[in-house]
Each structure stands twice: as structure tokens, then as C-alpha cells.
Amino acid sequence: MQSASHGEAFPVRTPAASHIFTTLLSHGPLTRPELARRTGLSAAAVTKAVRPLIESAYLVEDVAEEARPTLGRPANPVRVDGGRALFAGVKVTGDEVIGVLTDLCCRVCAARHMPLPARDPRAVLAAVAELVGALLIEADGLGVPVLGLGVAVSGDVDRVRGVVRYSPFLEWRGIPLAELAATTTGLPVTVDNDVRALTVAEQWFGGGVGLSNFAVVTVGAGIGCGIVVHGRVVAGAQGVAGEIGHVTIDPAGPLCHCGNRGCVEAIAGDAAILARIREATGVDVALPTEAVDLARRGVPGAREAYARAGEAIGRALATVANLLGPERVIISGEGLAAYDLFAEQVRDAFAAAAFGSAARCDIQTRPLPFEEWARGAAAIAIQSFIRPSSDQTPTSAREHS
């Protein structure tokens, strides 16, 4: 493991500085008056937060050479200096770890994939350490310090304590992953649910930029949901907000790994679709690609399995729209490879179950490879670096910092 330069702290860890910095990440360059308008902060508060960030080179003020002389301070645009620091992000799946090295603007500088020989914590930590070590070598060549590592894992994750409370696909319970990963990599580590991490990246740089209320729903091995309300990613009091995969759609439906019946995931997750196709066709399909091939060839029973999955997903989307009233729901995940097989059922079920104005919610599909999920992990590391520790607690009510 290469040595990591991570002793540096963000110079102004206040809610105002965090809000200004993340606004510039998503919308910059912006002048100080534009920053004040976008953040709702006073001109004095913007100036107070921006000055030390420029002095420490986290922000750069661009001075236009042709700028006309004006009275008072010129309205020069300010932007984040992406090359000021680097961050690593790792997404853990059931069979591989995917890592990226990003700059401070979360632009990917390098990416690596590594297979997992086993899913136990020791094996996963060894793979993460090896992967991060390769990324640190890349960082050495760039001559820029790596200031944090984000790790994204499916399941019930306590970000504040850095503990994976339960990950069904990894079969983990109560694993202090942040502490263990920090020991093996030598970096400050932030751990979060993978869909929430992806949602942070979508909020800052993707389909959620400029939206105060939106959701990301992921389909594939599991069914997940990241929620943004009033500009904040919601974790909830217990850190498990957004678990629409375990909303009951059919009380008499198939048994879910959570112990209940008829959950969305028990109907629309990859394993559920495969099981239903095996039962209906007698064909021993083992991979989603094989199932998709059967459905596209019109094999009886295969197409119906995807249609039922689409109906469950559409009803789940309507539940999100009815409860939260988001401006947009972004559908992503590896399951989008089969979206043509159930898109009609998703639309019809959503239209039937969405109440009133909730039906006007903008439903978009956005294919995102696992490198983007790893980028989300890097985004939560950047978020932890720039935010005061008190701003990391799960909440569903606090407004923008």
C-alpha cells in the first residue's frame, strides 16, 4: 500500500461554506452575486466563506482580461479548482469491486475493476485495499494528494458510524467497514448505501442537477431508491429511507429474503425474475442475459415474468410519487438492459396507481455503469471532506446547509 497524503482538512467547515462549495460543483463558475442568489445567503456570508477557500486554492477566481473597470468589487466568476485534491471511490458488488480516482470536481481520472474471490469481509477488504493501492499509485503520478475514500455497499448502512448493519447480497451483519477500510488503506473512509451514494452524484452532476425534489430508483439484483427532499439526500432517522424494494405489492406473492411476501424485490429483482422463468419454462436459466434472450425470443412464461416485474416497479414508482411528490424519478441500474421488455407495464402501472398531480412526475431512464456508482462513492468522500461533522447525521427535515 502506497502512503496516502490525507492530513489536510477543508479550511472552512461550516454549513454556509459547504453549501457554497457544492453549489459551485454543480453550477459553477458563478459570480459572488450569483452565488448569493442561488444559495439564499447574504453577500457578506458569501464573501466570508469564499475568501479562505480562494486563499487555500480550493476555489479559483477567474479574472476576465477584457473586463471593463467598474465601481466596487468586480463580478468575477469563482469556480472549484478540481486539480486541488483527489478522492477514491469504491463500489462493492456480489462478485467484484469497482474503483475510481476522481479530482475534487468528481471527474474520473482512473478506473479499476477487480473480481471478488469471496464475499466475506476479509476477502472484500483485501480486494478493496489492493484496488485502492493501484489508484494511489496513479495519484502519485499526478502529484496530488488523495484526501478520502468512499465505499458504497448495498443494504442497510449506518453512514454516521461507518457500519454495514445488513447487506443481504454480501451476507454481512454489523461490519464496521469504515474503520476496517481506513486501517487497510490509510485513508479517511466514508461508507454509505450504494444507491444513496449514486444519488449524491446524480444530485451534483447528473439527472438531478437543479432539482430540489427527485428520486433515483435502481433495478437489477435489488430494487433500491435514493430520495432527495428540499435539496438533501434523505437517510431517515434509522438510515434506511428509500427501501422501496421491500414495499409489499402482493401479500400473497413470493417469499422475499427479508422474510415478507410479495415485496417489489421478490417480484422484480433479477433473482426473482430468473426463478419465475425457471418455474414457468422449465429452462435452467442462471444469468439475466439468458433470461432476456428467452423473453426476446417470445418463449412463453419468460415475457410474462418481465411484464409482472414491470407492473411491480411501476407501482413502486407510484408509491414514491404519491408519498414524496418528486419533480423527477430517474430509473437506473443494470436491470435497464431489459427495460424494453417491461417499459409498457411500468408506464401503465404508474399511471394507474399515481394519485392526482403525482402522475405528472417526470419518469426518466438513465443507464449508469458501475463506474458511475463508484463515482458516487467518491462523491460521498468529497461530501464528508467539505461538510462539518454535525451535517452528516441522517435527516429528512433539515434544509440546505
Side-chain angles (χ1 to χ4, degrees):
M1 176 68 62
Q2 296 287 307
S3 61
S5 302
H6 61 266
E8 187 173 345
F10 198 61
V12 191
R13 289 173 64 85
T14 65
S18 169
H19 191 14
I20 287 168
F21 198 85
T22 54
T23 299
L24 286 169
L25 278 175
S26 298
H27 304 286
L30 296 170
T31 65
R32 288 171 178 79
E34 288 170 336
L35 269 172
R37 284 193 294 273
R38 281 189 175 272
T39 61
L41 297 168
S42 68
V46 169
T47 298
K48 182 180 179 181
V50 164
R51 184 184 298 115
L53 294 175
I54 290 177
E55 291 172 351
S56 56
Y58 284 96
L59 298 181
V60 176
E61 184 171 15
D62 292 326
V63 181
E65 292 183 3
E66 306 94 30
R68 297 177 181 175
T70 59
L71 294 175
R73 187 178 186 87
N76 296 321
V78 178
R79 60 179 171 83
V80 175
D81 182 359
R84 177 64 173 78
L86 297 173
F87 292 82
V90 173
K91 154 73 173 167
V92 181
T93 76
D95 54 13
E96 69 173 341
V97 288
I98 305 97
V100 297
L101 183 71
T102 78
D103 67 7
L104 187 54
C105 292
C106 219
R107 293 176 295 220
V108 175
C109 307
R112 295 283 187 276
H113 288 240
M114 184 168 294
L116 275 180
R119 297 181 181 182
D120 62 280
R122 185 185 298 271
V124 172
L125 282 164
V128 169
E130 185 175 348
L131 189 69
V132 172
L135 294 174
L136 290 176
I137 291 173
E138 294 270 1
D140 285 344
L142 297 172
V144 180
V146 178
L147 300 183
L149 165 65
V151 182
V153 181
S154 66
D156 180 356
V157 181
D158 184 339
R159 173 169 169 170
V160 175
R161 295 171 180 81
V163 174
V164 180
R165 290 185 290 218
Y166 175 50
S167 179
F169 298 117
L170 295 173
E171 299 180 348
W172 288 5
R173 288 186 183 274
I175 303 299
L177 185 58
E179 178 184 350
L180 295 172
T183 299
T184 57
T185 65
L187 289 167
V189 176
T190 302
V191 174
D192 206 347
N193 170 271
D194 55 354
V195 180
R196 277 202 299 271
L198 180 66
T199 302
V200 172
E202 285 298 285
Q203 180 185 30
W204 285 0
F205 313 108
V209 170
L211 300 180
S212 295
N213 301 277
F214 75 95
V216 175
V217 172
T218 57
V219 296
I223 309 296
C225 180
I227 300 166
V228 174
V229 176
H230 297 314
R232 293 187 61 85
V233 177
V234 174
Q238 307 303 325
V240 292
E243 284 290 347
I244 64 164
H246 298 288
V247 170
T248 299
I249 295 296
D250 179 5
L255 186 67
C256 182
H257 62 79
C258 74
N260 294 317
R261 286 192 173 275
C263 295
V264 177
E265 197 164 293
I267 298 170
D270 284 345
I273 293 172
L274 290 173
R276 188 170 179 84
I277 290 176
R278 285 193 293 265
E279 180 183 359
T281 67
V283 179
D284 189 21
V285 289
L287 298 172
T289 52
E290 298 169 351
V292 169
D293 180 63
L294 287 179
R296 287 184 177 148
R297 287 195 283 116
V299 174
R303 191 88 188 203
E304 288 77 6
Y306 280 102
R308 189 183 185 204
E311 181 181 356
I313 292 168
R315 292 179 65 182
L317 296 180
T319 298
V320 173
N322 290 342
L323 287 175
L324 303 171
E327 299 161 74
R328 178 176 298 159
V329 173
I330 300 162
I331 308 175
S332 192
E334 67 272 25
L336 279 189
Y339 194 68
D340 60 297
L341 296 172
F342 55 85
E344 181 180 355
Q345 288 78 16
V346 170
R347 289 192 299 268
D348 290 348
F350 175 80
F355 175 75
S357 297
R360 297 208 301 265
C361 176
D362 178 26
I363 306 293
Q364 295 187 358
T365 57
R366 184 165 153 80
L368 295 168
F370 277 140
E371 285 86 355
E372 289 296 316
W373 294 61
R375 184 180 182 229
I380 63 171
I382 296 171
Q383 189 180 59
S384 290
F385 177 68
I386 65 177
R387 283 188 173 178
S389 57
S390 62
D391 201 31
Q392 301 300 331
T393 54
T395 179
S396 59
R398 224 178 324 168
E399 297 288 335
H400 301 278
S401 293

